[in-house]
Amino acid sequence: MSDVADWWSTEIIDMEPGRIAFRGHEIQDLIGQVSFPQMIWLLTRGDLPSEAQARLLEAALVAAVDHGPQAPSIATARMAVTCGLGLNGAMASAVNMLDDVHGGAGEQAVELYGWIDGGVETGAAIDRWQAERGPYIPGFGHRFHKPVDPRAPRLMALVRDAAEAGTVSGRFAEIGEGVAAELAVRKGKPVPMNIDGATAVIYAELGFAGPLARGLFCLSRSVGVIAHAWEQMQQGGRNKGPTPPQYRWTYTGPNEAD
Amino acid sequence: MSDVADWWSTEIIDMEPGRIAFRGHEIQDLIGQVSFPQMIWLLTRGDLPSEAQARLLEAALVAAVDHGPQAPSIATARMAVTCGLGLNGAMASAVNMLDDVHGGAGEQAVELYGWIDGGVETGAAIDRWQAERGPYIPGFGHRFHKPVDPRAPRLMALVRDAAEAGTVSGRFAEIGEGVAAELAVRKGKPVPMNIDGATAVIYAELGFAGPLARGLFCLSRSVGVIAHAWEQMQQGGRNKGPTPPQYRWTYTGPNEAD
Amino acid sequence: MSDVADWWSTEIIDMEPGRIAFRGHEIQDLIGQVSFPQMIWLLTRGDLPSEAQARLLEAALVAAVDHGPQAPSIATARMAVTCGLGLNGAMASAVNMLDDVHGGAGEQAVELYGWIDGGVETGAAIDRWQAERGPYIPGFGHRFHKPVDPRAPRLMALVRDAAEAGTVSGRFAEIGEGVAAELAVRKGKPVPMNIDGATAVIYAELGFAGPLARGLFCLSRSVGVIAHAWEQMQQGGRNKGPTPPQYRWTYTGPNEAD
Amino acid sequence: MSDVADWWSTEIIDMEPGRIAFRGHEIQDLIGQVSFPQMIWLLTRGDLPSEAQARLLEAALVAAVDHGPQAPSIATARMAVTCGLGLNGAMASAVNMLDDVHGGAGEQAVELYGWIDGGVETGAAIDRWQAERGPYIPGFGHRFHKPVDPRAPRLMALVRDAAEAGTVSGRFAEIGEGVAAELAVRKGKPVPMNIDGATAVIYAELGFAGPLARGLFCLSRSVGVIAHAWEQMQQGGRNKGPTPPQYRWTYTGPNEAD
């Protein structure tokens, strides 16, 4: 029996009839005692964070819940329920889309900050990123929120408070601000940190690995996904398309095949 | 322009460059001020809950995060990352599976409680459920946790505390316990409330609609999905199958086609 | 070892190193010998169809490949690739949405036809459907293609040819046409069969169960999903939303929270 | 209206009430006239292939339909239906997993062949692949089918026939065989082409771009996904896990949290 059981071995959960323990904590001792962010940390990291650490994580989770129905994930969630899916299915189709371009900037920024933290000079890190990954520096600038993404300064203020209180080192806040400063010099105008740059500072300060930064963003954005899908359910509609039915698409192909 | 904008109308989020507001609250006033469960409530319900209400919601979210890799959703999440998916993709394939059978019991229990709350006698409600929906009464009994699902009594204790404090009415706790009592009489043995029955009591006490009970379960279980997918990423593996490679399946078809 | 292997028992595929057999046919004897529709039939049904049967199935598969980017599934596929997903991920988010409303009409029509084939009079079957399932009769009328869905008459002509040739009985063609006639009487205007009604006739004539009608539709529409996702990949774009960026949504919520 | 319509512009499909045309061909002229593989080609490529080209494509589609329930995608499809999903949902969770590791080898092999076709010497191409992408050379060797994947020689025989008939050039068959020969020299033992290497030869010979090789594989494997999901539906089961319920997982974490 052990080779079969070993195939699914895990450090996360232990179970027998009537008993569930996460990372060594019995579930009945966690319910009502730890916050949801603390539970998220426990499951993904293995230990329980302090309340101050959990509050900083919580701020990042609160900040990223939604960016409106123009986002392809949210539009998909809303269309999905009009196709007959429940909230689980709407979440699936929507969260799937939080990939490199739509949901990867936080993970990428954690990685970029890590290079700098590991000793690469800021300008050199930016050069290397652009050479290896392309022109977009993850976490800075915003195509819509100009001049400033309102979420970033608030998050960064919380990081600075946490650094002063000794909860985090403040090292990654400096790194992130250094990237913004370098980009501003290069572009000759401000390129402020956006939500992904700021949450990446938080995740890096708290010691989360890059892939978890993406996972936590997915968890946060799922709240908006559920809220929009549920609102659409109440609004009704069948097979809701991306634009009102009286609009169609421009056909650009041949009018008669040879 | 208005017919296009109206097609995606929403009460959830308002936005202009540099400004994001949820249900009338500016995002910078929410970050660091409200808990993640309060934000979940705000987005899905429209108003901010009291701290006591949010704590009860939080207990339900904490309780349901994971039930181990034997659950098809968690197994799928772990296999998914070995196929090359990131955490967003693993979440998608896994959360999709939290459908009627795997993730619908909470929603169904809210509905069943609603019948009783609406005046149907408990036994009649059970009869009607079984006639219309099949033999399983959602939220009661557990195929693994015998005699008792350790999450349920702890959650119900919190509901009773909240009822005493006036946070909730306690009406749905009575209803849920009434269902358990009736089932025990019918089966001649205890059929205790399980996690779905208990979280449904909480969601119903707090006024969440049935579909949101499923959505909130999906959000909670996503924590386990992310934790297991991330652990598997670190363990490595390529194209991890459901059983160790030396096992195969039993072929039961024809050995030679005619 | 047998309980583990038995857990995944199947009649579909047998395998050992260097050997793969489907339903008793060695793979090397199928490749280049059977058509893709024949292979689809073999895997889902267990036997190989005649060429005439396969051609009828093929017509249904050809007919349903795409209905344009106003369809929520196709829009989702196109948005998905601009979020960073590959074609597998685009297919996943898109095909998921082919649920009851967007992809279930064929399955539902097979079921409705089955009632009538089982002896229920056409009018009574329509009454029962509307009483139990709601006002929409699956497979008839079209909100866009007026007066006629151009796919349906062509498919029905092929069914009649096949009935004349003895490939199928023609029984379900009669049933489908009977439903259209009854609906026309009730509405006082033509309610012609649409693609779902016509493919359901084909699937029912060929003996496919209802759920497979949905599965085959998903397979067919996947062709359009892939084509559109690939075209969008070539067009480029990042985080493509449902409407051009200069459009936004109408916010209908409170302007200032209390 | 044109900016909204232009946002969804496509060369694939043109539509007005009562009319559907793909790449300039009216749908009623395609149904019953072109094969499913021809339709797949038309939608993804823009023109109709010859029958000989379509037959070669068809062989690749037939070859890859299934590899059994040990494959994570197939296991997921089977588990999914026991969670309450329909075939569309099972396809979504399963096809999503056909990512780089589980479904990307064909696309990668097309890319590798393209390097060699573009003038890179075979050995240098292998070296470059391993330096940039890692140790696995896509399309060669098989962890299970030893000594030979039975699908590959049959597919390659069809390619050689097609080259002799002038349907394809045979250039990519040579390239693929050259890679196998070089790998055999390096490893000191045969490293035969597998299904992905062979279908990639076909896709490259027919002029399909790499991403479409993955898309076509997803389409082909969807047949197995549907067949297994449907078989599982008939077998029944609720919340089927990866191993029989009497097995569990090995817990490797702390037994009591500090």
Side-chain angles (χ1 to χ4, degrees), chain A residues 76 80 83 85 92-94 96-97, chain C residues 71-78 80 85 87-99 102 217-218 221-222 224-226 229, chain D residues 88 91-92 96:
Chain A
T76 292
C83 297
L85 290 176
S93 280
N96 203 33
M97 292 162 80
Chain C
S73 53
I74 298 294
T76 292
R78 296 190 73 117
L85 289 177
L87 293 185
N88 58 308
M91 261 184 80
S93 280
V95 170
N96 203 34
M97 292 161 78
L98 301 177
D99 208 75
H102 189 17
F217 171 70
C218 290
R221 185 54 55 93
S222 293
V225 164
I226 291 168
Chain D
N88 58 308
M91 260 185 81
N96 203 32

Side-chain angles (χ1 to χ4, degrees), chain A residues 23-25 48, chain D residues 254 256-258:
Chain A
R23 308 280 196 180
H25 299 267
L48 276 171
Chain D
E256 199 173 332
D258 304 321

Side-chain angles (χ1 to χ4, degrees), chain C residues 44-118:
Chain C
T44 54
R45 301 280 294 270
D47 59 341
L48 275 170
S50 71
E51 289 198 13
Q53 289 172 314
R55 273 197 304 273
L56 197 56
L57 168 60
E58 188 152 41
L61 292 169
V62 163
V65 288
D66 186 27
H67 203 248
Q70 271 269 347
S73 53
I74 298 294
T76 292
R78 296 190 73 117
M79 295 193 295
V81 295
T82 73
C83 299
L85 289 177
L87 293 185
N88 58 308
M91 261 184 80
S93 280
V95 170
N96 203 34
M97 292 161 78
L98 301 177
D99 208 75
D100 287 357
V101 179
H102 189 17
E107 173 173 358
Q108 293 152 15
V110 168
E111 190 180 355
L112 175 66
Y113 298 164
W115 292 355
I116 299 169
D117 185 50

Side-chain angles (χ1 to χ4, degrees), chain D residues 125-150:
Chain D
I126 292 171
D127 292 341
R128 178 179 153 196
W129 189 274
Q130 292 182 321
E132 293 181 6
R133 308 293 183 87
Y136 291 91
I137 298 300
F140 297 86
H142 200 287
R143 65 182 186 180
F144 180 79
H145 291 299
K146 297 182 187 305
V148 171
D149 180 336

Side-chain angles (χ1 to χ4, degrees), chain B residues 70 83 93 101 136 238 243 247, chain D residues 70 83 93 101 238 243 247:
Chain B
Q70 271 268 346
C83 299
S93 280
V101 179
Y136 292 90
R238 288 172 62 89
T243 58
Y247 292 85
Chain D
Q70 270 270 346
C83 298
S93 280
V101 179
R238 288 171 62 89
T243 58
Y247 292 84

Side-chain angles (χ1 to χ4, degrees), chain D residues 35-48:
Chain D
S35 70
F36 192 39
Q38 284 179 305
M39 192 67 173
I40 293 166
W41 182 303
L42 177 66
L43 253 74
T44 54
R45 300 281 293 271
D47 58 343
L48 275 170

Side-chain angles (χ1 to χ4, degrees), chain A residues 70 83 93 97 101 136 243 247, chain C residues 70 83-84 93 101 238 243 247:
Chain A
Q70 270 269 346
C83 297
S93 280
M97 292 162 80
V101 179
Y136 291 89
T243 58
Y247 292 84
Chain C
Q70 271 269 347
C83 299
S93 280
V101 179
R238 288 170 63 88
T243 58
Y247 293 84

